[in-house]
Amino acid sequence: MKKTLLLLLFTVICFHAFSQETIIKYLSGTDKDHTIPWDFYCTGGRNSGKWTKIAVPSNWELQGFGSYNYGHDKVKTNEQGLYKHEFFAENWQNKKVFIVFEGSMTDTKVMINGKQAGPLHQGSFYRFKYDITNLLKPNDKNLLEVTVDKTSANASVNDAERKNSDFWVFGGIFRPVYLEVVSATFIDRMAVNAKADGSFQLDVYPQNLKGDETIEAQVQKTNGENIDKPFAVKADTTQEYQELKNNFNRPLLWSAEFPNLYQVIVTIKNKQGIIHSVKQKFGFRTVELRTNDGFYINGAKIIMKGSDRHSFWPETGRTLSHNIHLMDVRLMKQMNMNAVRMSHYPPDRDFLDVCDSLGLYVLDELTGWQAKYDTIVGHKLVKELVVRDVNHPSIVFWDNGNEGGWNRGLDNDYALYDPQKRTVIHPWEKFNGTDTKHYPDYNYMVKAATTGQEVFFPTEFMHGLYDGGAGAALDDFWDQMMKHPHGAGGFIWAFLDEAIIRTDKNGIYDADGNHAPDGIVGPHREKEASFYTIKEIWSPVYINPQPIDRTFTGKIPVENRYAFTNFSQCTFKWKLVKFPSAHDKTTAPIVKATGTPAAIDLKPGEKDMLNLALPLLWSKNDALYLTAYGPDKKEIFTWSWAISTPAAIAKRIIPSPAKSAIKTEETGQSLIIKCDGIGYYFDKSTGYIQKVVKPSGTISLSGGPVLAGINTERKTFDHKSFQGQYIVSTTYEATAGALQVKWTFKPGQPVKLEYQYIQQGAADFMGITFNYPEEKITGMKWLGRGPYRVWKNRLKGQQFGVWHKAYNNTITGETWKYPEFKGYHAEVNWVVIENKESPFTVYTADKNTYLQMLHPGREKDALENNNVEPAFPEGNIGFLNAISPIGTKFQPAEVMGPQSQKNQANGKQITGTLWFDFIH
């Protein structure tokens, strides 16, 4: 009997303790991967006019209903979605029950058992809730009916969120719906202001106080360990909120580099015990915008390195998941980003939780794309935004709209709900001591660095349409940012290609033409080349690699671009490698030596030399790799340097046994050189090679060498035998340049091509080219920078090594098989052209040779201004000394800085040597 009573008492105590916490009962699923079917009726478009089922949460277009709309569409549909869902309500006696919607697009009317739960909600991206306590039938089934209008009855909501907006506009209940069950007296919300000096202020908003309660707070580590003692205040029913204060001695501070989090347990008590208890994570940190100075966290000047992120997944639109949020933040951190701007609406709260825990500075944005909410609805939505997000330490600015979508009457609303009084900005405008200019050109960057007074951080720049922008020209721009006395960084547009999979068009990807393929990563987060360029340029361990030679001492200049991390907290590792030959089956380097340099004590902002302490015979290797790891032991970046010269590597070509002496033959049009059983055909009228014929078949190499980009006239064509070799020489002339070519054939040796040229004026590219049928190419293997292609203004990010890739016709931002096959490739020593005829290898003796592999395909929806389609030579395989830069959506390359200018040919003679190996 006694045991039974004790068990019963324990059960009552446990139930009582549990019941004081907020109970969450999901009516929908929790994310895109965990949904619950509700009854659904769509009034227009696909699958309309009938009751069926739909997954909740979701956007109905992605579930096969209604019509797709992009913001720029002239004709927009006005579908209505009708939802029904039955749920069981327990007998929550003496409790308050709220129904909470995390996000619904857009006008939403909620009915419980035939009665409206509250006013119509307008605004797509905001959490709202209704008190439905008196509408429920306890211990019974209840009917939830929701009507969602894709288009709002409020014109300003349509203007701000949908009309002409540069993003997809959807319909539906796209974030979770749940019941929130609390005590009759409860904590509605709280706002934390925990500063770097350890001061702690907590504004608690209780409801239905009787006057005999105490509000208590206990700060803890996230593992539940108490920090100091609890502190409390007596309830004051005359005040809207209760203010609790305390001071903590030297707490661990939150920053993007060290995202230290705490939690506070807040409790309403009376003499009978706990009435309601809630838990809130937070971070100790101080955010300051210092006028005419800079942006500071915890007293340290911060340079934000970020991108603009849409909440988006191709199959599910704006309905996401924790795994997607985690993946996105990790990808940003991999790029050495420390910041993210919400574009152009508040994200899922879980995304902010991930930013808190992994460390990113966040700009949280009220929707308003070039148009603003009216003041009445704006007041409500600002409150919903700030009240939901105020306690995230990751949030450092509030964005009141975007690009003219600023209702200035709302600027002061943010501080009403934010005790931290974070700065409100107007993205694109000089406002509140900030200059957030969108898409500045290079001259604006120079002027801002020279004369700008405002704290400067473009909230959109380097527009990454297709393969343009993003990492391209970033090196020059960032050089100016680092010179700006009030610089605070910037945000690349954009993080991802916003391409949906169209359920009405056989599953094609649709980025609405050239409106949305502007990401650093693809729709499923496929990495473009700019990903790695950004990773290098924004590395907090900053190294600007210079070529090394035998005089290299093993010391590398380094700069600490962290804000809080000493290099003594980082780890460095180097390795020396030898590369396989062009004809080895592997591409993996052979590691000959490794080492870990001694720790270097280098504070943020300081520069010094990192001594690798390489072994005595380091120069006998082909390349040096250096990897830096952060305090979290994750790779920051790996830099690489070539040690062996291209000429030295070319000397390793293994001679073949000579089959016979060289023979020649002439026809009316052709000169045929036969060496080692291979016939080399030259067009006597042009001097160009026509083809190469082996016993096993023909290799269709032709049309060169041609001086890239210049129409020349053949002046001389000579051929002769000389000391056991056969030489074919051709000279070409043109107004803008001249070319001399010399082919040397020697039994048992690859064919040697020596050339020299001069060129005048500005040039998109410089060098020589050949032709080879694209349809016969199957792949390539090369020693050089890779695996991605480069542009003149996007050379960083690629690693020196042996690479291989199969042929593809990827068009960046339209198809997402990366790395792209076609384009320019840097620092090439040799390349094997794999094909359907017979593979052949080309070696170069010259440093900094670029390989041109074919011509990238033209985008289906390319812009007329052609900023993001750089010039290529007419020939489709080239060996070049200079290549073209790429622009952005809004700017041609020539306004994007020194690296983005055309190449200047000054009439100086340029020489080159290639070896063509058709034997191996």
Side-chain angles (χ1 to χ4, degrees), residues 221-284:
K221 295 181 180 179
T222 54
N223 64 4
E225 178 185 341
N226 288 340
I227 303 297
D228 211 341
K229 297 178 181 179
F231 51 102
V233 296
K234 293 288 186 181
D236 184 349
T237 58
T238 66
Q239 300 296 319
E240 180 187 6
Y241 65 90
Q242 315 292 301
E243 185 179 278
L244 288 80
K245 290 186 176 181
N246 204 352
N247 283 280
F248 295 86
N249 185 32
R250 300 180 66 184
L252 296 175
L253 303 185
W254 187 94
S255 68
E257 295 172 31
F258 298 100
N260 298 300
L261 290 173
Y262 291 84
Q263 63 190 23
V264 58
I265 309 296
V266 185
T267 306
I268 302 178
K269 295 181 176 180
N270 62 13
K271 292 180 180 179
Q272 285 71 46
I274 295 174
I275 300 171
H276 188 218
S277 180
V278 296
K279 182 190 298 182
Q280 176 63 57
K281 288 185 179 180
F282 70 94
F284 285 96

Side-chain angles (χ1 to χ4, degrees), residues 555-571:
K555 294 181 179 180
I556 296 188
V558 292
E559 178 183 351
N560 187 339
R561 290 188 174 179
Y562 280 110
F564 302 101
T565 303
N566 191 301
F567 275 8
S568 62
Q569 298 167 276
C570 299
T571 306

Side-chain angles (χ1 to χ4, degrees), residues 477-731:
F477 269 61
W478 210 246
D479 181 64
Q480 292 302 310
M481 180 62 71
M482 298 304 294
K483 292 177 182 177
H484 198 303
H486 320 307
F491 295 82
I492 294 171
W493 186 271
F495 175 63
L496 59 90
D497 292 325
E498 201 182 356
I500 58 175
I501 293 179
R502 293 289 293 261
T503 57
D504 61 338
K505 293 184 178 181
N506 297 319
I508 67 165
Y509 284 87
D510 185 359
D512 198 58
N514 56 42
H515 291 141
D518 39 24
I520 304 164
V521 297
H524 287 112
R525 286 37 174 185
E526 302 89 342
K527 296 175 183 177
E528 297 180 9
S530 283
F531 183 98
Y532 298 97
T533 306
I534 294 164
K535 183 178 178 70
E536 178 172 0
I537 295 170
W538 279 355
S539 169
V541 176
Y542 184 74
I543 295 173
N544 189 20
Q546 302 300 314
I548 61 176
D549 56 26
R550 294 182 183 276
T551 65
F552 178 57
T553 62
K555 294 181 179 180
I556 296 188
V558 292
E559 178 183 351
N560 187 339
R561 290 188 174 179
Y562 280 110
F564 302 101
T565 303
N566 191 301
F567 275 8
S568 62
Q569 298 167 276
C570 299
T571 306
F572 297 87
K573 294 182 179 180
W574 58 260
K575 61 183 177 181
L576 293 165
V577 303
K578 298 281 283 186
F579 292 125
S581 75
H583 306 296
D584 288 333
K585 292 183 178 180
T586 182
T587 59
I590 302 168
V591 178
K592 307 299 288 186
T594 62
T596 301
I600 179 173
D601 182 6
L602 197 65
K603 297 176 183 177
E606 293 182 342
K607 301 178 182 180
D608 204 345
M609 302 295 288
L610 178 66
N611 186 2
L612 303 187
L614 296 178
L616 184 63
L617 298 179
W618 66 268
S619 62
K620 301 298 183 182
N621 296 281
D622 289 339
L624 166 67
Y625 294 150
L626 173 65
T627 303
Y629 302 89
D632 58 1
K633 308 305 179 185
K634 294 179 180 177
E635 184 204 60
I636 298 170
F637 191 73
T638 296
W639 297 266
S640 54
W641 292 263
I643 297 174
S644 296
T645 65
I649 289 176
K651 286 182 180 179
R652 300 175 191 169
I653 303 173
I654 300 173
S656 300
K659 293 185 177 181
S660 61
I662 299 173
K663 297 180 180 179
T664 64
E665 179 182 336
E666 290 191 59
T667 66
Q669 188 63 30
S670 298
L671 167 69
I672 306 166
I673 312 294
K674 293 185 177 180
C675 182
D676 296 329
I678 301 174
Y680 301 88
Y681 287 68
F682 289 87
D683 185 322
K684 293 192 292 187
S685 64
T686 63
Y688 302 151
I689 196 165
Q690 293 177 308
K691 59 184 176 181
V692 178
V693 179
K694 299 175 65 173
S696 58
T698 298
I699 301 172
S700 304
L701 182 69
S702 65
V706 169
L707 191 56
I710 295 180
N711 292 321
T712 58
E713 180 181 346
R714 197 217 75 178
K715 288 299 182 182
T716 64
F717 178 74
D718 298 306
H719 54 97
K720 62 181 179 180
S721 178
F722 178 72
Q723 295 182 348
Q725 306 174 85
Y726 204 86
I727 296 171
V728 178
S729 301
T730 315
T731 61

Side-chain angles (χ1 to χ4, degrees), residues 168-322:
W168 288 102
V169 290
F170 298 116
I173 302 171
F174 71 104
R175 289 176 181 163
V177 181
Y178 54 90
L179 300 181
E180 192 176 73
V181 184
V182 296
S183 305
T185 298
F186 65 98
I187 298 168
D188 181 45
R189 58 187 172 93
M190 68 181 76
V192 176
N193 185 12
K195 294 186 176 179
D197 62 3
S199 62
F200 180 88
Q201 174 189 333
L202 180 67
D203 296 343
V204 181
Y205 291 79
Q207 297 292 314
N208 304 324
L209 291 174
K210 304 297 187 295
D212 62 342
E213 299 93 350
T214 298
I215 314 295
E216 181 183 274
Q218 173 66 64
V219 171
Q220 301 177 332
K221 295 181 180 179
T222 54
N223 64 4
E225 178 185 341
N226 288 340
I227 303 297
D228 211 341
K229 297 178 181 179
F231 51 102
V233 296
K234 293 288 186 181
D236 184 349
T237 58
T238 66
Q239 300 296 319
E240 180 187 6
Y241 65 90
Q242 315 292 301
E243 185 179 278
L244 288 80
K245 290 186 176 181
N246 204 352
N247 283 280
F248 295 86
N249 185 32
R250 300 180 66 184
L252 296 175
L253 303 185
W254 187 94
S255 68
E257 295 172 31
F258 298 100
N260 298 300
L261 290 173
Y262 291 84
Q263 63 190 23
V264 58
I265 309 296
V266 185
T267 306
I268 302 178
K269 295 181 176 180
N270 62 13
K271 292 180 180 179
Q272 285 71 46
I274 295 174
I275 300 171
H276 188 218
S277 180
V278 296
K279 182 190 298 182
Q280 176 63 57
K281 288 185 179 180
F282 70 94
F284 285 96
R285 59 105 181 88
T286 298
V287 178
E288 300 173 272
L289 185 84
R290 298 182 185 176
T291 306
N292 307 127
D293 184 353
F295 171 58
Y296 288 78
I297 298 284
N298 304 334
K301 199 168 191 177
I302 300 296
I303 303 295
M304 291 180 288
K305 300 175 289 186
S307 62
D308 300 273
R309 186 246 192 187
H310 269 296
S311 300
F312 185 81
W313 191 250
E315 287 87 352
T316 57
R318 310 241 181 265
T319 302
L320 306 180
S321 68
H322 177 73

